[in-house]
Amino acid sequence: MSTKSVSLLFSTAFDMSVDLNILDNEIKTRNDIVHRFGHTKKGEEICFIKDNVLFLIAKVNNIVEKIAKEMKATLVKGMTE
């Protein structure tokens, strides 16, 4: 499932905008690791280090925090209406 599809699900289910395009490079790298045994389509080896993982964790945490904040705001708004 593409990031575009997941963003559409968030929009449809929760009426919120979630930008998952910032994960496109990491998803591409993931696909290279999983489907091409750690090589790009051009045959170049993927070098994946601890800093890459920490950077990805920070990106995902940022997305999760934004979603949680928006869901809380929506819940509070629904309770006051």
Side-chain angles (χ1 to χ4, degrees):
M1 184 174 279
S2 70
T3 55
K4 194 173 188 176
S5 298
V6 176
S7 293
L8 181 61
L9 287 173
F10 271 99
S11 177
T12 303
F14 302 111
D15 192 28
M16 72 171 61
S17 175
V18 178
D19 180 20
L20 299 176
N21 294 331
I22 64 169
L23 297 176
D24 284 346
N25 287 335
E26 287 79 7
I27 291 170
K28 181 180 173 288
T29 300
R30 177 254 178 220
N31 290 341
D32 288 340
I33 291 169
V34 172
H35 298 293
R36 295 179 196 85
F37 303 105
H39 294 81
T40 66
K41 288 182 180 180
K42 295 179 180 179
E44 299 165 354
E45 189 173 358
I46 300 289
C47 179
F48 207 74
I49 59 175
K50 181 180 177 180
D51 287 343
N52 297 116
V53 176
L54 295 174
F55 185 66
L56 176 59
I57 290 169
K59 279 180 138 178
V60 172
N61 280 340
N62 189 23
I63 292 169
V64 170
E65 287 172 9
K66 286 180 181 180
I67 291 170
K69 185 177 180 180
E70 194 162 337
M71 290 184 106
K72 282 182 184 179
T74 302
L75 180 62
V76 168
K77 182 181 173 186
M79 294 175 73
T80 60
E81 291 180 344

